[in-house]
Amino acid sequence: MSGYFKIMFENRTIYEVNIRQYTPEGTFAAFSDHLPRLRDLGADVLWFMPIYPIGVPHRKGSLGSYYSISDYKGVNPEFGTADDFQRLVDKAHDMGFSVLLDMVCNHTAWDNVWLLEGHKEWYVTDESGQVVSPFDWTDTAKLDYGNHDMRRAMIDAMKYWITEFGVDGFREDMAGLVPLDFWREAIGELRKVRGDIFMLGEVEDPAFDQEGLFDATYAWEFGHLMERVAGGAYGADALRGRLDYERDTFPAGAGRLRFTSNHDENSWSGSEYERMGAAAHAMAALTFVVPSIPLIYSGQEAGERRRLNFFDKDLIDWSGVRVMSEFYRPLCEIKNRLSVLRSGVSGAPVRHISSSQPENVLAFKRTDDRSALIAVFNMTPYHIQPAFYDEDYCGVWNKLWHGNAELFYGQYDPFAPWEFKIYYREF
């Protein structure tokens, strides 16, 4: 089985679901009422943050961390029952969504059933024989991947959610902290159970995209560069160079998850508006038109500007959902429709467009025999008026959000601060 994007995921947008903060009830049943809205938005893959029971010892905050798991085969009663989750999966599937579960293979809660059953040898210990926490994650205990039995139990837990609930794949938390040889073993075993299982790894290392392993991995550095460009530390050249680096370094067709926010960024670093300011919308649009699988985090489509509390109840403000959905919906639509924007080997490569201000403008095209796209981004907080020199920069194009526009080779085109223009054609 190829580690590249499977056909069903090539033109899709992932939506990360934070059940706790989504509704006043914070339950699977309450969230399911939002599925029609999310389908209308254009999201078609639901990544659920961990749904498992949360550990009690050393718990952080009043409700604890999703990522401190006491039972890999259990369901957090805060969210509902196993039957409630099955109903949600079935409804999502009926509406055309795929479902990914967040899996945490690096560590468990201190009251995980494995420890309670006496499997201390499944964990990393210090010189005195005490189980240790990874980093300062004191509510968790680190697993020992030198233990064969623990590996088998972890693989069995993942198989359980495939066979019993029909999930379509996993987002693997901190995949880079788990040995690569485990992923070779585990992903091979999972694909014997279901050949088209989709694996998203929280890691940025080309080795994890090789050998038919992960279908997509994190484009962290690209995200960090977007923040630095938004803050004025770098210009458009940094993003242009990173795209070229990824093209030359990662396997052809490797899936790259791009985002301006997710649960970690929002809670620990701040919302995209804190980190990117007035450039936030430009950077969000960019994640849809470069080679990528784009991610929308819960509340982004409502313009939520706060950091959500990670360990306590902190309801998303949905008051801006109508306005911001009109921003994201067209992006999801062209991602779904245009052949050039398909992820993996099916998508068209990025070809840079020459301009009179390359230090200020990120301009590129993606073309094939079915569609074409031109994207131009002012990566500065200033009004600029660059000229563009490309054989395709001419004629009448559809302009996203704005009907159509006529382009001319060599024309000087005015841009407001952080303004971006996306043009496309279908043949």
Side-chain angles (χ1 to χ4, degrees), residues 378-410:
N378 176 9
M379 290 298 178
T380 78
Y382 309 110
H383 289 271
I384 61 173
Q385 191 166 329
F388 299 95
Y389 311 104
D390 189 273
E391 60 184 4
D392 291 319
Y393 205 88
C394 57
V396 176
W397 290 72
N398 299 304
K399 186 179 182 183
L400 200 64
W401 297 288
H402 300 289
N404 56 53
E406 187 167 8
L407 304 182
F408 301 93
Y409 180 94

Side-chain angles (χ1 to χ4, degrees), residues 137-200:
W137 306 341
T138 54
D139 56 340
T140 66
K142 184 167 178 58
L143 290 164
D144 182 2
Y145 276 84
N147 187 286
H148 175 76
D149 291 336
M150 186 278 292
R151 288 179 175 230
R152 300 310 305 169
M154 185 65 76
I155 294 170
D156 179 67
M158 288 188 275
K159 288 181 178 179
Y160 169 79
W161 293 101
I162 300 171
T163 58
E164 299 300 317
F165 293 86
V167 302
D168 303 292
F170 297 96
R171 179 266 184 183
E172 297 289 354
D173 181 70
M174 300 305 295
L177 297 182
V178 175
L180 188 58
D181 69 290
F182 169 75
W183 294 121
R184 293 191 188 101
E185 177 186 4
I187 294 174
E189 287 293 315
L190 296 179
R191 287 181 175 148
K192 291 177 184 177
V193 177
R194 178 172 173 177
D196 65 348
I197 201 74
F198 186 82
M199 301 296 291
L200 166 63

Side-chain angles (χ1 to χ4, degrees), residues 20-34:
R20 176 184 289 167
Q21 315 300 18
Y22 216 89
T23 64
E25 301 87 349
T27 62
F28 299 131
F31 170 74
S32 70
D33 292 338
H34 288 259

Side-chain angles (χ1 to χ4, degrees), residues 11-13 42 44 331-338 342:
N11 61 344
R12 294 188 144 196
T13 299
D44 33 32
L331 290 166
C332 292
E333 181 184 356
I334 63 167
K335 174 64 179 177
N336 180 268
R337 198 171 84 226
L338 297 183
R342 291 186 181 274

